[in-house]
Every structure is written in structure tokens, then in C-alpha cells.
């Protein structure tokens, strides 16, 4: 990124890797639309869709957007992995599909599935936070 000035197109892959590693999830056994990770809890499979967002320090204060969320897919929770300038995960947020569905239902059809990081943060819980070096 420093050499090209362009954002690297790897944030989704890194977000999936970090969410699976830090939250002890598993990759899905079969490819399924918008399902990036699963957790088997006593035979019940929880399905997750994962979004990633790099928050560059020079863009502080700008409204960062979450990539479009596929509300038609069969997942229960959405994880948003926030990363710093170095593409290292800093925070993982979790929002239930029912909560997100309620928000998306109020949006016009062309905006459905889109939201800002701030909006996602308001309706989610922090499920992982990087340890500070302080």
C-alpha cells in the first residue's frame, strides 16, 4: 500500500483468517453463499458472514462503510473485523442477523445491505479486542 498508494484487495481474506483464528471458529465444510465461518455448538451449527474494514489513520473522521451485507444468505451473525494501517486486526464486532435485518428493512432497496462502520458499531458487541502494548 505504501508503494502504490492503493488499498490492497485482501481485507476480506485477512478478516476471515483473523476471525476464525481469534474466535476459534472453523471454515465452512461446504461452500455456501456468504458463509465465511461456522461454529459447532452441541451439534447446532452457527453460521457467520464476515466483513473486513481497514481504518487508515489519515482517513480518521471520514465515514467508513461496511461492504454490502447479503441479507438473503443463511447466516445467523455478522462479524466485522476492523484493522489498522498495517492490516492487523484491532477489534472484532458481532451483530445478529435479526438486528441488522430490522435496520436494512427501513432502507430503500438500492441501499439495502449497506451501512457505515459507526452504524454497525451501535448495534453490535465487541467480541475480541487486540491487546495494547501499553
Amino acid at each position: 500500500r505504501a508503494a502504490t498508494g492503493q488499498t490492497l484487495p485482501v481485507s476480506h481474506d485477512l478478516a476471515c483468517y483473523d476471525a476464525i483464528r481469534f474466535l476459534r471458529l472453523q471454515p465452512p465444510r461446504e461452500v455456501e453463499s456468504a458463509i465465511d465461518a461456522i461454529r459447532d455448538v452441541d451439534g447446532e451449527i452457527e453460521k457467520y458472514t464476515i466483513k473486513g474494514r481497514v481504518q487508515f489513520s489519515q482517513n480518521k473522521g471520514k465515514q467508513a462503510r461496511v461492504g454490502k451485507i447479503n441479507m438473503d444468505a443463511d447466516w445467523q451473525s455478522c462479524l466485522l473485523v476492523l484493522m489498522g494501517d498495517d492490516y492487523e486486526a484491532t477489534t472484532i464486532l458481532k451483530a445478529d442477523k435479526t438486528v441488522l435485518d430490522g435496520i436494512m428493512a427501513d432502507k430503500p432497496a438500492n441501499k439495502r445491505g449497506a451501512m457505515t462502520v459507526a452504524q454497525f458499531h451501535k448495534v453490535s458487541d465487541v467480541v475480541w479486542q487486540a491487546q495494547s502494548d501499553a
Side-chain angles (χ1 to χ4, degrees):
R1 180 174 185 277
T4 65
Q6 301 293 315
T7 302
L8 302 174
V10 296
S11 59
H12 180 261
D13 294 328
L14 293 173
C16 289
Y17 174 77
D18 286 340
I20 287 170
R21 181 170 59 130
F22 295 135
L23 301 179
R24 295 187 179 110
L25 304 174
Q26 297 92 38
R29 295 178 190 115
E30 298 173 10
V31 175
E32 193 175 341
S33 177
I35 307 299
D36 298 308
I38 61 170
R39 174 179 282 148
D40 187 336
V41 180
D42 299 326
E44 290 289 320
I45 302 295
E46 294 177 359
K47 297 178 183 179
Y48 299 89
T49 191
I50 300 172
K51 297 294 177 181
R53 185 69 174 132
V54 181
Q55 297 182 302
F56 297 109
S57 55
Q58 79 264 18
N59 293 344
K60 290 284 188 225
K62 291 185 179 178
Q63 285 285 358
R65 298 193 70 75
V66 177
K68 187 167 181 165
I69 301 170
N70 181 352
M71 299 304 294
D72 296 327
D74 183 32
W75 49 270
Q76 288 83 31
S77 297
C78 180
L79 299 171
L80 175 60
V81 180
L82 300 176
M83 296 173 263
D85 289 327
D86 56 1
Y87 289 81
E88 292 288 330
T90 58
T91 306
I92 301 177
L93 304 169
K94 177 183 175 185
D96 290 331
K97 186 176 189 176
T98 53
V99 173
L100 294 175
D101 203 28
I103 293 168
M104 298 302 169
D106 294 337
K107 294 185 176 232
N110 65 333
K111 297 287 186 187
R112 209 156 283 142
M115 64 187 335
T116 66
V117 170
Q119 288 170 323
F120 193 96
H121 213 296
K122 287 180 186 176
V123 298
S124 63
D125 296 314
V126 174
V127 292
W128 182 87
Q129 187 92 43
Q131 303 249 337
S132 67
D133 293 334

